[in-house]
Amino acid sequence: MQLNGFHHLTAVTADAPKNHAFYTDVLGLRLVKKSVNQDDVSAYHLFYADGKGSPGTDITFFDWPAPRERRGTHSIARTGFRVQGEKAFSYWTDRLKAKGLKVGEPTEKFGRITLDFEDFEGQRLSLVQDESDTPYAIWDKSTVPAEHQIHGLGPITLSVPDIAPTEMVLTKVMGMSKAAQHGNTHVYWMKGKGPVAELHVIEEPGLAPAQQGAGGVHHVAFNIPMADYTAWAERLRAMRVPNSGPVDRYWFKSLYFREPNGILFEIATDGPGFHADEPMETLGETLSLPPFLEGRRAQIEAGLKKLG
């Protein structure tokens, strides 16, 4: 059994309408699912991805009225998005600067062109050269030209004070291989090629622990085939990893656990997919609820703000 790269990453926003405008209008991603946090139905759960909501392409947000994140270790520190070609970096540098965002300059990092920037809440993001042939779907209604659209996630960077226990879980439990070390950054590979299959872990023993909030990340999810779900649940149980047990999110099935430095991981299946309850052509256009919440639709809708 191997992890097929990332499935999604879930972050926190305190302003759902502005978040929606940024990730669709500025980054050109498609809102493929407009739902609610299944454990807190007062909060939106918004999923932005490629044109078809492919696994490994979506960043998602819980909308909570939280103060800004206090940065530190024991956290997910930066989210990479893949783009392709030098012209893409020129395009994105100009585009992000024109929007008044905090943005650096394209630079080579670990052998790839990388452009670091932040969203309006300080969410730390990067655009990274994608040398892989991982499939992704163009979104023909995107605000970004097809040749410069975001391909999906990767790499994602964690910050921990002690690499040893985290590395043990990544390699012994999750089956990753250690690929490289650049200073205090350790690189781990999953199945696949390029940044979609890379998890970066920075060892930062001098940092205080992060305090989660708006502009921070809640958890990262790793992609598995649906056929492997039961085996992964049994693997975690057999290795005595404290975990959620099977959780059905309707559009995918999940297993949740914390690695030893306290970062929340999710293992998520590549199906059934976001089109399980909506036509592909109209994904994300109306509020989508899993069946167990459908009876509360009117109450839930009344408690949500308009996105725009």
Side-chain angles (χ1 to χ4, degrees):
M1 298 187 302
Q2 285 186 294
L3 300 171
N4 292 331
F6 299 106
H7 186 279
H8 67 269
L9 175 134
T10 296
V12 179
T13 180
D15 189 336
K18 197 170 181 180
N19 175 272
H20 175 258
F22 180 84
Y23 285 88
T24 58
D25 295 345
V26 178
L27 294 192
L29 297 172
R30 183 182 185 186
L31 179 66
V32 294
K33 192 62 60 179
K34 180 167 63 173
S35 192
V36 294
N37 182 319
Q38 294 182 15
D39 304 308
D40 173 13
V41 298
S42 69
Y44 272 119
H45 193 180
L46 304 174
F47 296 74
Y48 307 101
D50 71 357
K52 293 184 177 179
S54 309
T57 70
D58 52 315
I59 184 169
T60 89
F61 286 87
F62 295 143
D63 173 37
W64 285 328
R68 291 286 178 92
E69 174 200 35
R70 186 185 70 198
R71 294 178 179 178
T73 191
H74 298 284
S75 68
I76 299 170
R78 186 171 290 276
T79 302
F81 289 121
R82 294 172 282 119
V83 296
Q84 203 157 58
E86 289 188 19
K87 290 183 179 179
F89 288 90
S90 298
Y91 169 85
W92 278 105
T93 301
D94 292 344
R95 181 178 180 86
L96 296 172
K97 285 183 176 179
K99 300 293 184 179
L101 298 170
K102 183 176 180 180
V103 56
E105 296 291 339
T107 185
E108 185 173 304
K109 186 183 293 186
F110 309 147
R112 298 189 186 100
I113 304 173
T114 301
L115 177 67
D116 293 339
F117 66 104
E118 297 181 5
D119 78 1
F120 66 98
E121 290 178 302
Q123 186 73 235
R124 287 170 286 179
L125 307 168
S126 297
L127 296 172
V128 179
Q129 171 66 25
D130 187 10
E131 69 271 23
S132 72
D133 55 1
T134 303
Y136 71 100
I138 294 294
W139 174 224
D140 59 8
K141 296 180 182 178
S142 176
T143 57
V144 174
E147 66 270 25
H148 300 323
Q149 285 182 24
I150 289 170
H151 293 190
L153 294 171
I156 289 169
T157 302
L158 316 182
S159 171
V160 300
D162 181 5
I163 193 69
T166 296
E167 180 170 297
M168 183 275 294
V169 167
L170 296 180
T171 58
K172 303 301 183 185
V173 176
M174 302 178 74
M176 299 185 196
S177 59
K178 188 167 185 178
Q181 182 174 345
H182 308 276
N184 64 341
T185 299
H186 303 251
V187 178
Y188 300 87
W189 279 351
M190 295 170 274
K191 182 180 179 181
K193 177 184 176 183
V196 69
E198 286 186 10
L199 183 72
H200 294 185
V201 185
I202 307 175
E203 187 174 35
E204 298 181 294
L207 285 187
Q211 183 172 315
Q212 202 166 81
V217 177
H218 188 266
H219 66 270
V220 59
F222 302 92
N223 184 21
I224 61 167
M226 178 71 82
D228 289 351
Y229 182 64
T230 300
W232 273 101
E234 174 58 25
R235 181 178 178 84
L236 295 181
R237 189 201 65 78
M239 299 188 78
R240 298 185 178 182
V241 177
N243 69 91
S244 64
V247 179
D248 189 347
R249 294 302 188 195
Y250 188 50
W251 307 292
F252 47 87
K253 296 182 184 296
S254 300
L255 297 160
Y256 297 88
F257 63 97
R258 292 190 184 274
E259 57 80 42
N261 278 296
I263 298 171
L264 183 60
F265 285 173
E266 176 182 355
I267 294 174
T269 62
D270 57 9
F274 293 121
H275 59 285
D277 61 339
E278 293 183 294
M280 185 63 72
E281 296 75 21
T282 57
L283 288 180
E285 294 183 9
T286 59
L287 183 68
S288 181
L289 298 175
F292 79 94
L293 291 176
E294 192 58 52
R296 299 168 60 190
R297 174 174 288 273
Q299 173 194 353
I300 291 169
E301 286 186 327
L304 298 172
K305 64 194 77 169
K306 291 186 178 181
L307 293 182

